Amino acid sequence: AQKITQTQPGMFVQEKEAVTLDCTYDTSDPSYGLFWYKQPSSGEMIFLIYQGSYDQQNATEGRYSLNFQKARKSANLVISASQLGDSAMYFCAMREGDSNYQLIWGAGTKLIIKP
Amino acid sequence: EAEVAQSPRYKITEKSQAVAFWCDPISGHATLYWYRQILGQGPELLVQFQDESVVDDSQLPKDRFSAERLKGVDSTLKIQPAELGDSAMYLCASSLGVGGSGSRETQYFGPGTRLLVL
């Protein structure tokens, strides 16, 4: 079974609109972390935002926020006021437990911002 | 701002040739990762180092791939001989790797090496 599922292979969004990228996860470990990365066409994987399973509040970093719904096992990334430079692949990833540093990756969502 | 360095950025080689990639992690980061990423897919972990020791190389095709981190700082990934199917992006990442950060441990990536095998 997929541990990280990103159901949107691609999305088109008008510039300045908000966009939500979906991510659902599957784990039985009570301690886990969820990460979002951005990968522009240049190839570098850029860390955006982190949410811990015990965090009481949804994570926010500038225009990025994470809509964390623990009971539904979803960790959707919200980008407010999208910009042309937001066009990229976006990956959701999970780390299970506290001692294993490895990440489990989703298949990614390709986001294209239209001017 | 500290960054992960990788070289070369691009490499074109012919099949059966040897290729090598270099990675210098963020200073002080004990854990280093090598990933392979096929276009349109998520990264696949090839090998993970903690200091100079290999923690996990279960997905490394050991008949042709090798990786080392001799002094626990920079690292080299080698392919010999290269095959057509090795064409991909090779990403290096590092993280602090010290105990206590647990699930918050964040991996930071270098710019990657795009490999094309002809």
Side-chain angles (χ1 to χ4, degrees), chain A residues 2 5 10 24 37 66 92:
Chain A
Q2 294 285 342
T5 303
T24 58
Y37 285 85
L66 206 150
C92 179

Side-chain angles (χ1 to χ4, degrees), chain B residues 91-102:
Chain B
L91 294 165
C92 178
S94 70
S95 65
L96 274 173
V98 295
S101 52

Side-chain angles (χ1 to χ4, degrees), chain B residues 72-116:
Chain B
V73 181
D74 58 339
S75 175
T76 302
L77 178 69
K78 296 179 181 177
I79 308 174
Q80 183 173 16
E83 295 181 352
L84 297 178
D86 296 331
S87 295
M89 171 75 89
Y90 290 83
L91 294 165
C92 178
S94 70
S95 65
L96 274 173
V98 295
S101 52
S103 65
R104 293 184 176 276
E105 184 82 356
T106 298
Q107 295 183 20
Y108 296 93
F109 285 77
T113 297
R114 290 186 192 269
L115 173 66
L116 178 61

Side-chain angles (χ1 to χ4, degrees), chain B:
Chain B
E1 184 174 307
E3 296 180 340
V4 177
Q6 285 188 251
S7 66
R9 292 292 306 275
Y10 304 91
K11 180 70 178 179
I12 300 174
T13 190
E14 295 184 343
K15 64 179 181 179
S16 79
Q17 296 298 304
V19 293
F21 312 131
W22 176 81
C23 173
D24 192 13
I26 293 172
S27 178
H29 279 195
T31 308
L32 185 147
Y33 315 78
W34 282 103
Y35 288 91
R36 176 171 60 188
Q37 186 181 24
I38 305 297
L39 187 64
Q41 299 180 15
E44 170 196 20
L45 181 68
L46 292 175
V47 61
Q48 177 184 344
F49 289 92
Q50 180 69 27
D51 299 311
E52 67 276 7
S53 301
V54 173
V55 173
D56 185 351
D57 63 356
S58 58
Q59 300 303 311
L60 189 70
K62 298 181 188 61
D63 56 335
R64 298 184 300 107
F65 286 65
S66 64
E68 61 183 16
R69 194 184 182 198
L70 294 177
K71 298 183 179 178
V73 181
D74 58 339
S75 175
T76 302
L77 178 69
K78 296 179 181 177
I79 308 174
Q80 183 173 16
E83 295 181 352
L84 297 178
D86 296 331
S87 295
M89 171 75 89
Y90 290 83
L91 294 165
C92 178
S94 70
S95 65
L96 274 173
V98 295
S101 52
S103 65
R104 293 184 176 276
E105 184 82 356
T106 298
Q107 295 183 20
Y108 296 93
F109 285 77
T113 297
R114 290 186 192 269
L115 173 66
L116 178 61
V117 182
L118 302 176

Side-chain angles (χ1 to χ4, degrees), chain A residues 1-33:
Chain A
Q2 294 285 342
K3 290 215 167 191
I4 294 287
T5 303
Q6 295 182 253
T7 57
Q8 307 150 310
M11 288 185 70
F12 287 89
V13 172
Q14 200 68 39
E15 187 181 10
K16 300 181 184 177
E17 290 184 352
V19 56
T20 298
L21 305 180
D22 295 341
C23 174
T24 58
Y25 59 92
D26 184 26
T27 181
S28 57
D29 198 313
S31 178
Y32 54 89

Side-chain angles (χ1 to χ4, degrees), chain A:
Chain A
Q2 294 285 342
K3 290 215 167 191
I4 294 287
T5 303
Q6 295 182 253
T7 57
Q8 307 150 310
M11 288 185 70
F12 287 89
V13 172
Q14 200 68 39
E15 187 181 10
K16 300 181 184 177
E17 290 184 352
V19 56
T20 298
L21 305 180
D22 295 341
C23 174
T24 58
Y25 59 92
D26 184 26
T27 181
S28 57
D29 198 313
S31 178
Y32 54 89
L34 297 157
F35 300 79
W36 278 92
Y37 285 85
K38 171 185 179 181
Q39 189 176 39
S41 57
S42 58
E44 183 175 359
M45 197 73 77
I46 302 167
F47 166 69
L48 294 179
I49 196 167
Y50 165 84
Q51 180 82 46
S53 59
Y54 295 119
D55 292 345
Q56 295 298 311
Q57 292 187 327
N58 287 348
T60 61
E61 289 287 347
R63 293 188 299 112
Y64 304 107
S65 61
L66 206 150
N67 183 1
F68 181 46
Q69 298 187 45
K70 196 169 182 177
R72 298 180 62 183
K73 293 189 174 180
S74 74
N76 299 339
L77 177 70
V78 180
I79 306 174
S80 64
S82 58
Q83 302 170 356
L84 296 178
D86 294 332
S87 294
M89 282 289 288
Y90 288 80
F91 290 94
C92 179
M94 175 176 66
R95 171 175 296 111
E96 295 180 295
D98 294 328
S99 59
N100 182 354
Y101 299 143
Q102 294 183 11
L103 292 175
I104 303 165
W105 294 83
T109 295
K110 185 172 180 64
L111 175 65
I112 297 176
I113 307 299
K114 300 182 292 183

